[in-house]
Amino acid sequence: MGAAARRSPASVSAHARAEWARAARWFLERPYIRCRIIDATVFTLLGLLVVIPWINGGWLNLLDWVSGPAKSVADAAYGLDDQQSDAMPVRIALALLRDIVGSRIAGWLPILMVFPLAASGVGALVGGSIQRRWTASLAYLFNTFVVDRIYAGHILLLLGMAMLPWVVASFLTARREGRIFRVRSALWFSLLVATSPHMAWIGGVAVLAVHLVPRPQRVDVFRVALTAAAVI
């Protein structure tokens, strides 16, 4: 018999406790990751308070966000309909989500995802204490703009707005470090644009503000140009 088979229950339990202790040390020694996980967890719970009325049954049907038992993928999702201005790649991801969790859950799950995604991004952007991060996140998420967008069914726009703090924080890091190009920033901006056509100019204005204020350097201009080329 192998060594693994000869282990006693006590040794297995001790090994498990050691692994948990190692994981706890890893978690505690990385404050950036710890803060993002805590922020995302807390605001997931707050987001559940928003979507609870839609969890117990039925189909979520908003003005521009309709769910049902037999929802198909339109040609616009593949860019085959030139009349669709929102033929974004995220619609293929939503179709896969419906196949995985079902159409009923896929109706409200993207709304729930907005809360941890935005809260962790705002926390990464503002940094500091819990009070500072959570106050900024509450102001960013619980306001009339978010309520109106949910009512109108502009869920993809909300997902884009949830990613916007991550984009700004990433470009701020790139400028602070003086990098001419940061792959992570380009990926974040690509994901942002893939959610909604409106996020192309909203995110573009935010990125330009990061690089042009105050006193842009030559490397900042090159960074914007290289990122735009990579995203395109």
Side-chain angles (χ1 to χ4, degrees):
M1 296 179 64
R6 293 195 299 269
R7 287 179 180 175
S8 65
S11 65
V12 172
S13 177
H15 179 73
R17 286 196 299 270
E19 290 297 324
W20 278 107
R22 187 179 298 110
R25 284 196 301 271
W26 181 90
F27 183 74
L28 294 173
E29 291 171 357
R30 288 163 174 80
Y32 180 86
I33 296 177
R34 182 177 70 248
C35 290
R36 300 296 79 74
I37 293 176
I38 292 174
D39 294 345
T41 302
V42 170
F43 278 83
T44 297
L45 297 177
L46 292 178
L48 281 172
L49 297 179
V50 176
V51 302
I52 274 179
W54 308 320
I55 292 178
N56 293 329
W59 306 97
L60 178 61
N61 293 311
L62 305 171
L63 290 178
D64 290 337
W65 184 264
V66 179
S67 59
K71 189 172 176 62
S72 60
V73 181
D75 292 342
Y78 302 100
L80 301 178
D81 187 353
D82 58 3
Q83 302 301 316
Q84 289 287 338
S85 62
D86 62 340
M88 309 306 291
V90 71
R91 294 193 177 276
I92 301 177
L94 291 175
L96 293 175
L97 181 65
R98 286 194 297 270
D99 290 339
I100 295 172
V101 302
S103 295
R104 181 176 284 110
I105 296 177
W108 54 262
L109 186 58
I111 301 177
L112 177 62
M113 292 167 57
V114 168
F115 291 87
L117 181 60
S120 56
V122 170
L125 179 60
V126 303
S129 64
I130 284 181
Q131 293 86 348
R132 177 175 173 174
R133 301 195 314 269
W134 290 4
T135 300
S137 297
L138 286 171
Y140 193 75
L141 281 166
F142 293 89
N143 54 67
T144 55
F145 174 82
V146 174
V147 173
D148 287 343
R149 292 313 94 200
I150 292 178
Y151 176 78
H154 297 166
I155 310 306
L156 298 182
L157 176 62
L158 286 179
L159 283 172
M161 294 299 294
M163 282 188 280
L164 186 59
W166 282 108
V167 173
V168 175
S170 183
F171 277 102
L172 281 172
T173 300
R175 185 176 188 188
R176 189 163 49 244
E177 295 176 352
R179 299 190 189 183
I180 193 172
F181 181 74
R182 193 168 190 252
V183 175
R184 188 180 302 177
S185 300
L187 289 175
W188 270 120
F189 197 84
S190 298
L191 289 173
L192 185 73
V193 175
T195 58
S196 171
H198 305 289
M199 297 312 302
W201 69 265
I202 295 175
V205 170
V207 170
L208 287 176
V210 168
H211 289 85
L212 299 181
V213 180
R215 298 184 303 278
Q217 305 294 323
R218 183 177 300 176
V219 66
D220 299 325
V221 177
F222 283 139
R223 186 184 307 112
V224 172
L226 289 175
T227 300
V231 171
I232 293 173

